[in-house]
Amino acid sequence: MEYSHEDAELIRQPIGYWSWAAYDAVVSRTRGALAGLGTTQPQWWILSRVALAGDEVRTREGVTETLRGYLAVGGEALSEEMDTVIVQGWITQDAEGRLAMTPEGREFFDKAVALQGDLWDERHAGISDEEYLITLKVLQRFIRNVGGQAWHH
């Protein structure tokens, strides 16, 4: 790979720019690929939380609370995305707000899982697990060093 700068210059580059550029590239690619399947990233998050719940009951309120902070989407937008997932027939919601996958939702989720696996492989090409681990730890230190808070399930 050809890097943007020589090492002596690269070490002086702003983390704010490069972390934003990485975010923008990864999220844009992910959202574009999911749009090709006919869904959005927040809809994928909702499907994933419900599909991977196992025996645990997921509620609309609980899923919204967990996902509210994901990429600063917010509760109102998640509510609209939840409504769309229900209208699509991928999940159902009962009177108590409990969510369940439909057979159509499970089939769609399985397609999305395969796509997410392909995207993971694409993003991680040429990057070892050790390099990835170091990258995440360094980013978490940056966040802590500036008084930020970050959490991902």
Side-chain angles (χ1 to χ4, degrees):
M1 166 160 171
E2 188 174 321
Y3 293 97
S4 62
H5 300 79
E6 296 296 323
D7 287 357
E9 294 173 304
L10 196 55
I11 202 164
R12 298 283 179 220
Q13 289 290 303
I15 185 63
Y17 170 76
W18 290 106
S19 60
W20 168 82
Y23 161 88
D24 189 54
V26 170
V27 170
S28 293
R29 173 70 175 115
T30 301
R31 289 182 176 173
L34 287 168
L37 278 184
T39 195
T40 66
Q41 191 175 35
Q43 290 169 13
W44 156 252
W45 298 332
I46 293 164
L47 287 170
S48 182
R49 297 298 298 174
V50 176
L52 300 176
D55 292 337
E56 188 177 336
V57 174
R58 297 284 191 210
T59 64
R60 184 182 186 109
E61 181 180 289
V63 169
T64 300
E65 184 59 34
T66 298
L67 300 178
R68 179 183 317 273
Y70 279 34
L71 304 183
V73 170
E76 186 176 323
L78 279 171
S79 181
E80 292 172 13
E81 297 285 13
M82 185 87 64
D83 291 342
T84 300
V85 170
I86 292 167
V87 168
Q88 289 285 354
W90 295 332
I91 63 173
T92 60
Q93 176 183 319
D94 68 14
E96 286 78 39
R98 293 180 298 224
L99 305 171
M101 294 294 291
T102 66
E104 296 82 9
R106 177 62 64 185
E107 183 178 327
F108 184 79
F109 176 73
D110 291 343
K111 287 179 190 176
V113 166
L115 174 64
Q116 290 288 17
D118 292 344
L119 291 170
W120 177 273
D121 292 344
E122 178 183 86
R123 286 189 301 265
H124 288 252
I127 299 169
S128 70
D129 287 348
E130 181 181 34
E131 290 170 311
Y132 183 66
L133 178 62
I134 289 168
T135 300
L136 292 186
K137 286 184 174 183
V138 168
L139 287 172
Q140 288 182 18
R141 269 188 269 152
F142 272 114
I143 293 164
R144 190 191 74 204
N145 288 349
V146 298
Q149 299 260 339
W151 176 87
H152 188 266
H153 66 262

